[in-house]
Amino acid sequence: MFERKGIITLLKGDLNADELQMEIIDAGVEDFEETDENFVITTPVESFAAVQRKLEEMGIEAENAELQRIPVETKTLPVDDALKVLRLVELFEEDDDIQNVFHNLEVTEEIAEKMDS
Amino acid sequence: MSGHNKWSTIKRKKGAADAKRSKIFSRIVKEITVAVKEGGPDPDGNARLRLALNNARGANMPKDNIIRALSKAEKENTSLSEVTYEGFAPNGIALFIECLTDNTMRTVSNVRALFNKGAEAWAPMARWPLCSNAKASSRSLKEI
């Protein structure tokens, strides 16, 4: 249900998406996404170190880089049900022994906005 | 897959609130501890530590906290185990829980309680203890 992937998050700064992608793709990048403030790079486990090294060589420091468990498929739920699940996820995350909680819920913009209230 | 990537960045932004920031910090401190125990306190020879320290900087963790974590990691005698659990939240959402703990019995009990709270089924998938090199294993044998 989950695959292990390297997830590297960069602050956009004045980095150019196309140039960056071209530079790092040979190091083994699987997916490249852009959000408002970040580039999010996905790598297979085997290339995680190589892509990090490549970014280091380019003088780019990642905001965060870690191995995560990514769901093979996500599941959509109505907003209220989704919020219940995310509240449970939060309870898990509050436990000191628990480092990471991964799930396969599709978190839409609407759900993300409602999470705060 | 793209939904999940956005989730992890959203999560970090929402982590601006105090309680969540301290949770983010304590996660990083644990990761620093594990990295130091695995490969020593020098980031140059320790990729896992280098990564943990980069993430600490990325999370804007104060230098004092980082220094404290490093010195505590060198002194600390308890051995941390990496354990994982899988189960289901309501509505069939799959959960994958990664733990770093010095007391797996406490962890199992807490995880079970949380699953009972809101989940339908669960299955512990305990992994071997973290310390795998000779020096570290003799340390954990002493504790038994």
Side-chain angles (χ1 to χ4, degrees):
Chain A
M1 267 175 299
F2 294 91
E3 295 173 307
R4 249 182 143 194
K5 298 284 177 192
I7 306 287
I8 302 170
T9 309
L10 312 174
L11 283 173
K12 273 188 186 176
D14 14 271
L15 292 171
N16 176 283
D18 294 325
E19 286 172 14
L20 177 60
Q21 273 188 88
M22 276 210 309
E23 287 275 353
I24 60 178
I25 195 135
D26 285 338
V29 168
E30 202 173 85
D31 195 21
F32 188 98
E33 267 190 277
E34 192 168 341
T35 67
D36 287 334
E37 290 167 30
N38 297 107
F39 293 129
V40 183
I41 299 165
T42 304
T43 80
V45 177
E46 316 82 66
S47 339
F48 183 48
V51 174
Q52 282 182 83
R53 248 190 323 268
K54 179 70 190 174
L55 290 168
E56 253 172 68
E57 281 168 28
M58 294 169 68
I60 299 173
E61 202 177 276
E63 189 184 54
N64 187 264
E66 56 185 9
L67 291 173
Q68 294 185 18
R69 314 258 175 179
I70 306 297
V72 173
E73 270 176 358
T74 53
K75 211 171 162 169
T76 356
L77 286 182
V79 181
D80 289 336
D81 289 339
L83 291 174
K84 281 203 204 105
V85 170
L86 292 174
R87 263 193 280 280
L88 180 63
V89 168
E90 269 187 348
L91 284 178
F92 273 98
E93 286 177 331
E94 278 169 16
D95 186 294
D96 281 336
D97 291 344
I98 293 175
Q99 283 293 87
N100 291 303
V101 181
F102 303 106
H103 61 77
N104 63 353
L105 174 67
E106 177 82 23
V107 181
T108 61
E109 293 266 353
E110 185 191 3
I111 292 170
E113 276 166 34
K114 294 235 168 94
M115 267 169 69
D116 263 342
S117 46
Chain B
M1 185 159 80
S2 46
H4 184 93
N5 285 349
K6 289 204 199 93
W7 161 240
S8 59
T9 47
I10 288 170
K11 202 162 66 155
R12 249 194 310 287
K13 286 193 185 14
K14 298 211 182 298
D18 273 340
K20 296 231 175 98
R21 234 162 82 92
S22 82
K23 173 69 189 183
I24 290 176
F25 288 176
S26 64
R27 274 186 61 215
I28 294 174
V29 167
K30 265 206 168 139
E31 187 54 31
I32 289 175
T33 307
V34 156
V36 167
K37 289 167 88 56
E38 259 188 5
D42 184 6
D44 280 337
N46 187 339
R48 188 166 183 173
L49 179 59
R50 209 161 48 240
L51 179 57
L53 292 174
N54 284 341
N55 288 341
R57 271 191 295 274
N60 295 317
M61 192 158 131
K63 264 212 167 103
D64 280 345
N65 294 43
I66 299 180
I67 293 171
R68 236 182 298 139
L70 283 168
S71 51
K72 193 166 176 256
E74 278 187 89
K75 297 190 211 128
E76 188 130 315
N77 259 324
T78 50
S79 61
L80 290 171
S81 301
E82 298 187 91
V83 197
T84 65
Y85 301 93
E86 279 188 80
F88 289 97
N91 298 112
I93 298 295
L95 296 182
F96 196 106
I97 321 279
E98 284 180 346
C99 308
L100 261 180
T101 176
D102 62 351
N103 183 342
T104 43
M105 281 183 59
R106 174 188 66 222
T107 308
V108 170
S109 150
N110 290 349
V111 170
R112 182 188 289 132
L114 285 165
F115 269 112
N116 286 339
K117 216 171 187 147
E120 289 159 20
W122 71 293
M125 280 169 34
R127 285 226 234 111
W128 51 89
L130 180 65
C131 309
S132 53
N133 62 61
K135 199 158 82 165
S137 332
S138 60
R139 219 184 300 150
S140 44
L141 280 173
K142 251 193 259 175
E143 282 135 32
I144 302 172

